[in-house]
Amino acid sequence: MRWIALFLLLLNLGAFAWFVTTSSTAGSAAQVVSPSRAAETQKIVLVSEMSPEQLPPVEEVPSSVTVDASGGQLCTLIGPFPEEHLGQDIAQRLSALQISADLRGIEMPGQMRYWVFLPPLNSRREAFSRLRELQARGIDSYVIPKGTLADGISFGIFSERDRAESLTAELVGKGVGAQFREEPQTHMERWIILTPGQAERLGGEFWQQLQEEHPKLDRRRNLCSEVAS
């Protein structure tokens, strides 16, 4: 009996030791992934699995090239320069700052004029024959020598629209088929042209200093296509 009791005691001790060892190993394995790491793992989602609403917004890269409402690129103009050497000096200063600057003559719009005329006749001879008739009636006129109205009769060019309309009505009342049209006047000016993006590279100090040195200079923007050489 004593041996049987001793055998049972040893058997119980062995079972207890095996149970403790197994529990310890299982507990260690359970700690391999902590709750916080497990939570982080659950947060990983593939972009392909996300809906469009979950995707972050894409930032737009600002552009330094300025365009107008129609999409045309805008150039910056500095001027006008009454003397060419002044424009050349400023263009050289800009070039020293690695700014592409081009001094050129640009045809600028001027005051509108109004031309009263008789449309071109069939030949120069017919034009002069008609001119003599008009002058014999005391109507001041001359033959237009060239241009789109060559061999027509001119009755004058006016800066006021009212005067042109009044003379046209007077001539029509006399049986002369006169007409009038607008004649936009232009003149050449020297301007420095900066291509798109160049003006934005200059700091405010440059523009302030330029304005102080040359207060009469203007800075404006225009479509590059309209100031192209």
Side-chain angles (χ1 to χ4, degrees):
M1 294 295 292
R2 185 176 61 180
W3 289 105
I4 295 174
L6 181 60
F7 174 77
L8 293 175
L9 176 61
L10 292 174
L11 182 62
N12 289 333
L13 290 174
F16 177 77
W18 177 85
F19 178 79
V20 172
T21 303
T22 304
S23 299
S24 175
T25 304
S28 299
Q31 295 300 321
V32 171
V33 179
S34 64
S36 59
R37 294 294 301 274
E40 292 177 359
T41 305
Q42 294 174 357
K43 292 180 181 178
I44 298 177
V45 181
L46 296 177
V47 173
S48 59
E49 299 175 352
M50 299 176 66
S51 64
E53 293 76 11
Q54 294 175 305
L55 292 174
V58 179
E59 294 185 3
E60 295 184 359
V61 179
S63 173
S64 60
V65 178
T66 306
V67 297
D68 75 336
S70 63
Q73 291 188 342
L74 297 176
C75 287
T76 300
L77 284 67
I78 306 174
F81 297 97
E83 300 178 0
E84 186 175 2
H85 71 86
L86 179 59
Q88 291 176 344
D89 290 343
I90 296 178
Q92 291 176 0
R93 288 171 56 182
L94 291 168
S95 297
L97 297 173
Q98 305 299 315
I99 300 297
S100 177
D102 182 20
L103 177 66
R104 72 176 71 149
I106 300 179
E107 193 172 12
M108 305 296 288
Q111 183 180 10
M112 186 68 69
R113 299 193 305 177
Y114 305 91
W115 195 352
V116 182
F117 63 95
L118 192 66
L121 301 172
N122 295 326
S123 65
R124 181 64 55 90
R125 176 176 294 183
E126 185 176 348
F128 276 102
S129 176
R130 186 63 184 278
L131 176 66
R132 287 191 292 269
E133 295 176 3
L134 293 169
Q135 291 180 340
R137 297 172 57 184
I139 298 175
D140 188 17
S141 54
Y142 66 89
V143 173
I144 302 172
K146 58 182 179 180
T148 57
L149 295 179
D151 296 336
I153 306 295
S154 174
F155 301 104
I157 299 177
F158 305 91
S159 59
E160 296 86 10
R161 183 186 182 94
D162 292 345
R163 291 186 59 189
E165 290 178 340
S166 177
L167 177 59
T168 301
E170 179 183 344
L171 291 171
V172 170
K174 294 180 179 180
V176 179
Q179 303 175 14
F180 84 95
R181 74 178 188 184
E182 296 180 343
E183 289 288 324
Q185 299 301 295
T186 61
H187 59 278
M188 297 298 295
E189 292 182 349
R190 300 183 187 90
W191 290 77
I192 289 177
I193 310 300
L194 303 182
T195 55
Q198 295 295 301
E200 288 76 10
R201 295 173 54 193
L202 295 169
E205 294 182 359
F206 173 84
W207 296 114
Q208 183 177 357
Q209 182 178 358
L210 184 65
Q211 191 66 35
E212 292 175 354
E213 295 175 357
H214 308 284
K216 292 185 178 181
L217 290 183
D218 188 17
R219 177 168 50 132
R220 64 181 67 171
R221 285 180 173 174
N222 203 349
L223 285 171
C224 298
S225 58
E226 294 185 0
V227 297
S229 57

